[in-house]
Amino acid sequence: MSQQFIVAQISDLHIKAGGRLSYRKVDTLKGLYNALERLNALVPQPDVVVITGDLVDFGRADEYACLKEALSELDMPYYLVPGNHDNRQAMRAAFPELDHLHQQPEFVQWCIEDYPVRMIGLDSTVPGAPHGELCAERLAWLESTLSQRPNVPTLVMLHHPPFASGIGHMDRQRLMDSAGLAAVISRHPQVERVLCGHLHRSIQQRFAGSLACCCPGTAHQVVLDIDPDAPAHFVLEPPGYLLHVWTPEQAMITHMGMIEHFDGPYPFFDSHGLID
Ligand SMILES: [Fe+2]
């Protein structure tokens, strides 16, 4: 059996406290518990879980307390990236024991060296604004961190997608300086994926010689409407997760899985062969 490393990714949890519904419609906490149950039941189990931002809905301490209680159900370590709905200070205050959140003084950026795949989290948030940015300081840290171990397969993750999806209202709050990120990533071919969230849908784009992968939300999804003037609407389509499976032979394979349970599985074959 080859060495294998499995990263499960979930995103955009938008947890609220006190049983409140997001946008008075979505039970996001239930969505998270469903996701955690699904990830814990996977065989083989993921080695780690990464969560690419919008952990909570309004960046409040009581929301982070709810999130923390839920995440205690996870059987594996988890790593958190901030999104535009998060608050750096409240997030750090809720998780003083998570060393990765405290690696840098200002930005919640981190690098995890403990696994066969290196994992780097970026902080693309702009306090008080929905769009994302990576300033020169954040990009310089990424450049220097990637330069340290050029031969180790690496996942870079941030909340805001570095590309325009075509969904107009979301593209107006994307990562605004993606040329800077592209320049760094293009110099480091060990970057297997650039993982992001924010779009609440599974979307991929070839990005700077790597592959940018956007993860569905654990509760609500953004409507698939590539009209530039599409209204800012969400839809309760099935929530999902991404499973990034790395082996030395195949490098990274990415699957999208559904969190809810559906009818099946059923066999293709019986004792007579392919079922007619
Ligand atoms: Fe979100």
Side-chain angles (χ1 to χ4, degrees):
M1 181 84 180
S2 74
Q3 185 190 23
Q4 180 177 257
F5 183 67
I6 304 178
V7 178
Q9 180 188 2
I10 55 175
S11 200
D12 293 270
L13 320 179
H14 287 263
I15 296 305
K16 290 188 99 74
R20 297 178 64 215
L21 303 179
S22 274
Y23 312 105
R24 303 192 195 105
K25 185 61 81 179
V26 192
D27 189 345
T28 51
L29 187 59
K30 183 165 183 289
L32 174 58
Y33 275 104
N34 291 344
L36 302 178
E37 189 183 337
R38 174 62 94 179
L39 297 184
N40 282 337
L42 289 173
V43 180
Q45 237 181 17
D47 295 284
V48 298
V49 175
V50 297
I51 311 182
T52 40
D54 285 359
L55 311 170
V56 303
D57 211 24
F58 275 80
R60 295 173 184 145
D62 57 348
E63 296 173 338
Y64 284 108
C66 262
L67 169 72
K68 186 171 185 174
E69 187 181 345
L71 291 177
S72 69
E73 302 280 317
L74 259 185
D75 292 342
M76 56 294 270
Y78 57 85
Y79 299 92
L80 306 177
V81 170
N84 53 295
H85 284 251
D86 291 301
N87 175 285
R88 288 176 191 143
Q89 290 73 29
M91 182 176 164
R92 282 177 161 151
F95 296 94
E97 75 285 4
L98 293 184
D99 291 342
H100 67 283
L101 298 183
H102 306 271
Q103 285 186 9
Q104 288 192 28
E106 182 175 0
F107 303 112
V108 185
Q109 300 203 135
W110 43 261
C111 179
I112 306 296
E113 308 275 14
D114 305 345
Y115 307 108
V117 173
R118 213 173 173 219
M119 301 191 299
I120 295 176
L122 295 177
D123 181 345
S124 58
T125 64
V126 179
H131 71 279
E133 288 177 15
L134 290 172
C135 57
E137 183 183 346
R138 282 173 272 189
L139 288 174
W141 176 84
L142 177 64
E143 174 72 45
S144 122
T145 303
L146 286 169
S147 298
Q148 287 161 12
R149 298 180 72 195
N151 298 317
V152 180
T154 301
L155 289 175
V156 171
M157 54 199 90
L158 72 164
H159 179 65
H160 294 86
F163 57 86
S165 65
I167 303 174
H169 64 97
M170 294 304 293
D171 292 344
R172 287 188 279 280
Q173 48 176 278
R174 52 170 283 200
L175 184 75
M176 289 304 175
D177 52 357
S178 58
L181 177 63
V184 176
I185 299 293
S186 66
R187 287 193 284 271
H188 298 280
Q190 79 269 29
V191 177
E192 290 282 343
R193 296 284 186 277
V194 176
L195 306 181
C196 50
H198 196 51
L199 288 168
H200 293 237
R201 300 198 69 79
S202 173
I203 304 174
Q204 296 80 38
Q205 192 223 18
R206 186 167 67 170
F207 178 76
S210 188
L211 179 64
C213 280
C214 184
C215 185
T218 50
H220 50 297
Q221 315 304 314
V222 169
V223 173
L224 174 54
D225 185 345
I226 53 172
D227 184 330
D229 300 319
H233 285 173
F234 64 88
V235 63
L236 298 180
E237 289 176 352
Y241 62 96
L242 298 181
L243 205 59
H244 309 286
V245 181
W246 181 85
T247 61
E249 297 78 24
Q250 291 235 90
M252 194 70 77
I253 303 290
T254 294
H255 303 266
M256 189 190 76
M258 297 284 114
I259 289 169
E260 294 172 5
H261 293 269
F262 293 88
D263 203 13
Y266 299 106
F268 287 111
F269 299 93
D270 64 12
S271 57
H272 304 290
L274 191 63
I275 296 171
D276 188 353

